[in-house]
């Protein structure tokens, strides 16, 4: 049976791996989208979002402090929850 410290470490590792996976997904999603789709939905431009996501992924991969880790997770979450659905919608067109 794992100790409390061991269990906390396992939970933090699982959260970090999930955040890295989400970051990789967000970067590849942003790369595949048209450049004009971002500005069409009144979001930051594609190069800016790619920069934000790549820096966030770098922060998750390198041993930065917890504050930077949380900022990176928030940046990735904003892209996945707010930007990605709108960019997908504008490229898909109206649903019939």
């Amino acid at each position: 049976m794992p100790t409390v410290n061991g269990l906390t470490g396992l939970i933090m590792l699982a959260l970090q791996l999930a955040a890295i996976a989400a970051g990789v997904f967000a970067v590849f999603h942003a790369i595949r989208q048209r450049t004009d789709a971002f500005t069409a939905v009144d979001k930051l431009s594609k190069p800016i979002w790619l920069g934000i996501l790549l820096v966030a992924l770098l922060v998750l991969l390198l041993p930065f402090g917890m504050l930077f880790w949380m900022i990176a997770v928030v940046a990735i979450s904003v892209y996945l929850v707010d930007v990605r659905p709108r960019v997908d919608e504008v490229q898909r067109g109206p649903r019939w």
Side-chain angles (χ1 to χ4, degrees), residues 17-36:
L17 291 176
I20 290 170
V24 169
F25 173 77
V27 167
F28 281 114
H29 181 271
I31 288 171
R32 294 178 41 229
Q33 305 311 307
R34 293 189 341 235
T35 303
D36 62 338

Side-chain angles (χ1 to χ4, degrees), residues 3 6 17 20 28-30 50 59 61 63 65 69 90 94:
T3 63
L17 291 176
I20 290 170
F28 281 114
H29 181 271
L50 278 173
V59 166
L61 292 172
W69 188 82
V90 76

